[in-house]
Amino acid sequence: MSVQERKQRKRAERERLIVATARELAEQQGWDAVTTRRLAERIEYSQPVLYSHFRGKREIIGAVALQGASEMAVAMRAATAAADGPRARVTALARAYLAFAERHPAVYDALFQLDGGLAYAQEDTPEPLKDAFAALLECLSEVAGDGVRPELFTETFWASLHGLATLTRAGRLPPEDTERRTELLVDRLAML
């Protein structure tokens, strides 16, 4: 292995450590607790080392969001692959999405609430974000209905899931009714 390859590998390892530490800190204490000073202390690197990887917190949030989008896509695809029939797939998709949002609130915030400097629904949207949307679209396109663009139906269903996740987490909706809400969403919006 060349010196250059070793340097690149070490740099990639540091970057993964920064992102993992930021994510862990955000999950434990919230995104306000994530500062470059705290990250530098936790990973035992200087702040200039952090800045050599990320220009600031915004880029770190973006990196966590991209990682989270990849994980969410995997979770949704795994859930739908194990389901038999359109209704079961859409239900599994909704449950996987809501479970991801509940298990990883800081990652969910990085994806959908905070400014990570990422472009959404544009040509320059990063691949992990496109793939997460594709995971939704793959399942929902089969139930969009005649005369309805699958992308539009997917956006509407996704917005409903996001609303359920956000309102439940904020305490605006009682969590004990989450399963019933999921069933209503599948039954009424997807008309299954």
Side-chain angles (χ1 to χ4, degrees), residues 15-150:
E15 193 166 300
R16 280 191 297 276
L17 179 61
I18 293 165
V19 172
T21 304
R23 182 176 172 166
E24 180 183 316
L25 187 57
E27 291 290 4
Q28 291 171 353
Q29 299 177 29
W31 278 104
D32 287 342
V34 179
T35 64
T36 54
R37 186 177 57 77
R38 267 198 171 146
L39 287 173
E41 288 171 3
R42 282 214 174 182
I43 63 173
E44 298 178 349
Y45 283 107
S46 67
Q47 283 182 306
V49 169
L50 271 107
Y51 285 116
S52 73
H53 290 274
F54 300 99
R55 286 182 283 193
K57 183 175 176 177
R58 181 178 187 220
E59 284 189 5
I60 293 169
I61 290 169
V64 170
L66 293 177
Q67 185 182 73
S70 294
E71 292 170 8
M72 181 181 264
V74 167
M76 289 187 297
R77 284 190 176 107
T80 58
D84 187 30
R87 186 181 200 298
R89 279 190 290 280
V90 174
T91 302
L93 174 83
R95 286 179 180 149
Y97 183 98
L98 294 171
F100 184 91
E102 183 181 353
R103 278 193 319 273
H104 308 287
V107 174
Y108 193 81
D109 285 348
L111 270 164
F112 302 119
Q113 306 284 47
L114 302 174
D115 179 10
L118 303 173
Y120 286 78
Q122 298 174 21
E123 287 203 22
D124 60 340
T125 298
E127 283 307 313
L129 298 177
K130 288 179 181 179
D131 189 49
F133 184 77
L136 290 163
L137 182 63
E138 289 161 11
C139 177
L140 295 170
S141 63
E142 71 177 313
V143 299
D146 294 335
V148 178
R149 280 193 5 246

